[in-house]
Amino acid sequence: MTDKTPTPTATYADWHAKADKEVKGRDLTWHTLEGFDVKPLYTAEDTQGIDPGLPGFEPFTRGPYASMYTGRPWTIRQYAGFSTAEESNAFYRRNLAAGQKGLSVAFDLATHRGYDSDHPRVVGDVGKAGVAIDTVADMQILFDQIPLDTMSVSMTMNGAVIPVLAFYIVAAERSGVSQDKLSGTIQNDILKEFMVRNTYIYPPEPSMRIVSDIIAYTSDHMPRFNSISISGYHMHEAGATAVQELAFTIADGKEYAQRAMDTGLDIDAFAPRLSFFWGIGMNFFMEIAKMRAARALWHDVMEGLGAKDPKSKMLRTHCQTSGVSLQEQDPYNNVIRTTIEAMAAVLGGTQSLHTNALDEAIALPTDFSARIARNTQLVLEEETGITNVADPLGGSYYVEALTAKLVEEAKKIIDEVDAAGGMTKFVATGEPKRRIEQAAAEKQTNVDRGETVIVGVNKYRRDKEDEIETLDIDNHKVRQSQIARLEKVRSQRDEMACQAALDALARGAGQKEGNLLALAVEAARHDATLGEISSAMEDVFGRYDTKPTPVKGVYSKAYAADNRYQQVVQGVDAVEQRLGRKPKIMIAKMGQDGHDRGANVIASAFADMGFDVVSGPLFQTPQETLEMALAEGVDAIGASSLAAGHKTLIPELIRLLKDAGRADIKVTAGGVIPQSDYQFLRDAGVQGIYGPGSNVVECAADMLRLLGHNMPPPDDELDEAAE
């Protein structure tokens, strides 16, 4: 007989000694942006005392449902909407026929900010980054021939959430579908707007009343509809670490639940209809662990608030692959990135998923790119076997240890929020926004310095980029069609009845009586427009506004010993000596796009390099940008564009500068701009264009050249010249 005694297992110390010899003593510890020191190997010792439980059982770490995808796969819910309601409807119907299972509606920025398409502030925004919705008639066209009694509909809307949800309810009524049959989700997550996305309308307190009224109304009338989708996605896109995204999002959810309870609602009456929304980036295992940690955290928060129903403590979520991880350079790599992120979302246990298209770092997706994005999910579902096992990574030493670490660190921030009096008060201090912007700046320095590799951008860069077909929206044509329908609706409605309903809404807002959504539904039945409903509340609540305050010191610290950075600093000093003052640049955000990550990173970096930086407020018109630039005496304006308004707003600014006799002020453009538009912008007078993946230090060097300083080329160009 042979001896079957198992060979003694090597210890971690044995492994470490062997690995250390193989890599000649090099430190293999990975220092993540979350501040975690990730070891190169995890063993059973790292999971002692950790019991993740089972899928479908509290605390739901391993998934909200016992069978997970073995019973039913996640919902393929592609986020889309552009141009007119007619074009978006046709796009939806093509996607549904090709295998998409649910709708997720993207609205244009004019709609998000509560403006009708004929408002002068939204000339460059109508139909550009989503579908324009001004009336119930638009909403009826948007869902034409789509059965709202059986189709789950998700709507990403926060600022103008009251009129949009009212229009959806009334459009369904007019098609014969009652409110109790409607299923889906409205985002209705205003706190994160004050932190990162900025498509708010009203100040925080009245905004929180709107959230509570929607939760109350849907609890009474729409039992199949999720009244809120608490979103970490936009924090993720703004640069938040996984810990920050977790902590601030769970704290937001806690605040919403407490506010609803304060109105007299029983927590178990509404909590099962709360849902979440996470961004999924390229740190594969961190993203999987983040979703598992979120379920454990939410369970504990809801238990602490007194929830008894297990469904109240069960975090259900939608996910979207990262937009900020997509790159303009070598764009077909984006297919690979999206596939990896989609796998992380699925292995983390999402209930529905949107996969970004490969061209979304450049423009709106084409039918071609949208098909690849959708098919990414179909391949994962049908070909990989992932759906055959519930939580297949459960018990992984690394994943379980990472999950526990995320829970531990996120709890520290949640406790800090509680000590501050809750998330509304904490947001008002500006601290969450400051921390996320700090993390974003640190992340960008890592990319610029090559410490974080992005294939095709800061490593393995191609000599010449392939051009790809992009979708372009005729903003002027869309706006004219919307204005025509607005005029038709207004001319055919009962004006007295409409105004009476709007007056009732304004009284309800001012006297804090009645449910705001119920009052808006009545106004929508009388064909009040989105802008009119928003204005009725704005007249009472006011319109909220803030001025950016970029973080300082991140770039100067990270680049302290960098030769190229020092060349730029010296160049700024030389220009200062020539001008008798620091070179002055204004960072401008025109139009209704509130995504300010890029603008804030540029402002932070340029200030650290010695420029005098003026950060313009969000939502400026070209005229307002001109007036501020002249008043501040700037030498250059850097216009940030992320929502396809660059072909309208930036040329208008240049025209205004010329008319004012200040064509000497340099204008540059940065953000999501297709290369096919570069020549158009150059012809309009733009002197520098910086797309995704641009090195911030080189952007500053280029700005110095525009201001007349003879900057040496980068070191790599000198090396190539020498060869």
Side-chain angles (χ1 to χ4, degrees):
M1 294 181 65
T2 58
D3 183 4
K4 293 186 178 182
T5 304
T7 303
T9 303
T11 65
Y12 180 81
D14 295 330
W15 173 87
H16 194 281
K18 193 170 187 178
D20 194 54
K21 186 176 181 180
E22 291 172 355
V23 299
K24 299 179 174 59
R26 179 165 53 90
D27 183 14
L28 297 177
T29 303
W30 175 22
H31 308 286
T32 74
L33 291 167
E34 289 74 19
F36 294 0
D37 292 333
V38 176
K39 300 186 299 183
L41 179 70
Y42 283 76
T43 69
E45 292 181 11
D46 297 292
T47 58
Q48 285 184 0
I50 296 174
D51 178 10
L54 295 171
F57 291 85
E58 297 184 38
F60 306 111
T61 305
R62 299 193 63 188
Y65 307 115
S67 58
M68 290 302 290
Y69 308 138
T70 64
R72 186 181 71 176
W74 66 92
T75 300
I76 300 172
R77 190 189 299 281
Q78 289 299 94
Y79 178 57
F82 53 88
S83 185
T84 61
E86 290 92 341
E87 291 198 39
S88 291
N89 172 262
F91 187 79
Y92 293 158
R93 285 160 58 190
R94 289 196 299 271
N95 282 4
L96 290 170
Q100 185 173 312
K101 300 296 193 295
L103 293 181
S104 184
V105 182
F107 297 95
D108 75 353
L109 291 164
T111 303
H112 272 288
R113 294 271 292 148
Y115 294 116
D116 287 333
S117 295
D118 58 358
H119 196 285
R121 296 196 73 86
V122 298
V123 172
D125 296 302
V126 177
K128 292 295 282 188
V131 61
I133 297 293
D134 295 313
T135 62
V136 173
D138 288 335
M139 194 71 83
Q140 287 178 273
I141 294 167
L142 186 67
F143 295 119
D144 182 42
Q145 299 183 56
I146 293 173
L148 293 180
D149 53 344
T150 59
M151 179 60 61
S152 173
V153 175
S154 172
M155 292 180 285
T156 299
M157 179 53 63
N158 302 282
V161 64
I162 287 284
V164 164
L165 189 50
F167 287 177
Y168 174 63
I169 290 166
V170 175
E173 286 178 354
R174 292 181 181 177
S175 69
V177 178
S178 58
Q179 298 179 43
D180 61 307
K181 301 268 194 317
L182 297 174
S183 64
T185 305
I186 189 82
Q187 193 161 98
N188 193 26
D189 175 11
I190 200 63
L191 285 174
K192 67 98 172 47
E193 298 293 330
F194 295 112
M195 283 187 271
V196 289
R197 191 162 174 256
N198 300 311
T199 51
Y200 43 68
I201 301 175
Y202 316 110
E205 279 302 330
S207 295
M208 290 299 290
R209 178 187 169 191
I210 287 171
V211 172
S212 298
D213 279 6
I214 289 172
I215 292 173
Y217 184 95
T218 53
S219 294
D220 288 342
H221 303 287
M222 304 168 72
R224 299 175 59 201
F225 197 81
N226 297 323
S227 56
I228 191 168
S229 175
I230 305 148
S231 174
Y233 178 84
H234 301 98
M235 299 182 206
H236 177 277
E237 293 296 273
T241 67
V243 172
Q244 289 170 341
E245 183 186 354
L246 266 178
F248 292 144
T249 306
I250 296 295
D252 281 351
K254 183 177 182 179
E255 181 87 343
Y256 294 135
Q258 287 176 318
R259 291 298 184 107
M261 292 166 66
D262 289 345
T263 68
L265 287 174
D266 177 70
I267 190 169
D268 287 319
F270 68 84
R273 306 311 305 166
L274 303 180
S275 66
F276 284 77
F277 175 25
W278 303 109
I280 305 296
M282 286 296 290
N283 190 342
F284 187 73
F285 290 105
M286 186 73 76
E287 297 298 342
I288 294 167
K290 180 179 76 181
M291 295 174 68
R292 302 170 93 254
R295 288 190 289 268
L297 286 163
W298 185 241
H299 171 272
D300 291 351
V301 163
M302 295 306 284
E303 270 208 336
L305 293 177
K308 304 298 182 191
D309 186 346
K311 291 182 179 179
S312 298
K313 297 178 267 186
M314 181 189 296
L315 184 150
R316 295 159 302 107
T317 192
H318 172 71
C319 288
Q320 180 172 340
T321 60
S322 174
V324 79
S325 72
L326 302 178
Q327 303 299 324
E328 178 184 22
Q329 296 85 358
D330 208 356
Y332 289 103
N333 289 341
N334 293 334
V335 177
I336 305 161
R337 295 183 179 104
T338 294
T339 302
I340 290 166
E341 291 166 351
M343 286 182 64
V346 170
L347 291 170
T350 191
Q351 278 60 71
S352 64
L353 178 61
H354 165 88
T355 33
N356 285 333
L358 68 96
D359 47 3
E360 288 188 58
I362 307 165
L364 292 168
T366 61
D367 277 5
F368 169 77
S369 65
R371 175 173 165 268
I372 293 173
R374 182 187 61 253
N375 286 355
T376 299
Q377 296 195 51
L378 292 174
V379 170
L380 287 176
E381 178 185 317
E382 301 288 355
E383 298 186 24
T384 64
I386 284 176
T387 60
N388 296 328
V389 177
D391 189 30
L393 291 181
S396 155
Y397 299 142
Y398 179 36
V399 170
E400 298 296 355
L402 204 51
T403 301
K405 181 67 172 176
L406 283 167
V407 168
E408 177 188 354
E409 294 303 314
K411 275 184 174 178
K412 292 177 183 177
I413 297 179
I414 294 170
D415 289 345
E416 189 179 352
V417 172
D418 288 343
M423 201 60 187
T424 304
K425 291 183 178 178
F426 199 56
V427 165
T429 68
E431 185 62 15
K433 186 175 182 66
R434 188 198 67 77
R435 292 187 192 181
I436 292 171
E437 288 177 2
Q438 177 97 8
E442 290 173 355
K443 190 176 293 186
Q444 186 62 45
T445 62
N446 284 357
V447 172
D448 286 350
R449 289 168 59 82
E451 294 165 1
T452 297
V453 172
I454 301 179
V455 174
V457 176
N458 61 4
K459 197 173 184 179
Y460 313 112
R461 183 82 181 251
R462 303 186 69 189
D463 293 333
K464 186 177 183 301
E465 298 291 343
D466 293 331
E467 285 194 22
I468 63 172
E469 180 184 350
T470 57
L471 180 66
D472 188 29
I473 302 298
D474 187 339
N475 163 248
H476 178 75
K477 182 179 176 181
V478 174
R479 187 165 185 262
Q480 290 307 309
S481 72
Q482 288 299 120
I483 290 172
R485 186 147 55 228
L486 271 166
E487 290 173 349
K488 182 179 178 181
V489 168
R490 288 173 180 147
S491 69
Q492 294 180 346
R493 70 191 182 187
D494 183 334
E495 193 63 32
M496 286 186 64
C498 179
Q499 291 304 322
L502 289 169
D503 289 344
L505 173 60
R507 284 195 304 275
Q511 298 171 9
K512 297 185 179 180
E513 293 178 359
N515 183 288
L516 293 174
L517 178 55
L519 292 165
V521 167
E522 192 60 29
R525 287 176 179 143
H526 293 288
D527 288 308
T529 71
L530 177 132
E532 291 167 342
I533 291 172
S534 297
S535 292
M537 294 185 287
E538 183 183 339
D539 289 344
V540 177
F541 299 148
R543 185 171 277 268
Y544 187 74
D545 200 11
T546 58
K547 186 175 180 180
T549 52
V551 298
K552 297 178 181 178
V554 173
Y555 269 77
S556 57
K557 180 180 178 182
Y559 279 88
D562 184 87
N563 180 58
R564 184 59 170 171
Y565 183 86
Q566 294 306 322
Q567 286 180 347
V568 171
V569 171
Q570 290 164 12
V572 173
D573 290 342
V575 173
E576 180 180 1
Q577 290 175 19
R578 174 164 55 85
L579 297 177
R581 57 173 174 77
K582 291 179 179 293
K584 198 169 193 177
I585 181 171
M586 177 180 175
I587 307 299
K589 285 288 295 181
M590 295 180 290
Q592 298 304 305
D593 170 35
H595 294 86
D596 60 354
R597 171 183 178 159
N600 289 334
V601 165
I602 291 294
S604 174
F606 273 52
D608 279 3
M609 286 182 272
F611 287 86
D612 186 355
V613 177
V614 177
S615 289
L618 296 172
F619 315 123
Q620 283 189 320
T621 64
Q623 180 65 37
E624 289 166 344
T625 299
L626 168 76
E627 292 169 1
M628 187 172 184
L630 296 181
E632 293 284 350
V634 304
D635 302 298
I637 301 171
S640 173
S641 174
L642 290 172
H646 54 275
K647 291 178 75 172
T648 306
L649 300 169
I650 299 176
E652 174 65 9
L653 172 63
I654 293 171
R655 185 190 67 79
L656 291 170
L657 285 166
K658 288 178 180 177
D659 290 348
R662 292 304 310 272
D664 59 299
I665 295 178
K666 316 297 182 184
V667 176
T668 64
V672 179
I673 302 173
Q675 288 210 15
S676 56
D677 290 346
Y678 281 20
Q679 194 56 52
F680 172 89
L681 291 175
R682 291 188 184 108
D683 291 343
V686 174
Q687 298 192 40
I689 304 171
Y690 314 107
S694 296
N695 182 289
V696 176
V697 176
E698 288 306 322
C699 292
D702 197 49
M703 178 60 70
L704 288 173
R705 283 191 286 268
L706 292 177
L707 296 177
H709 182 68
N710 187 23
M711 277 295 296
D715 290 342
D716 56 352
E717 291 184 19
L718 290 172
D719 293 342
E720 289 173 11
E723 291 172 5

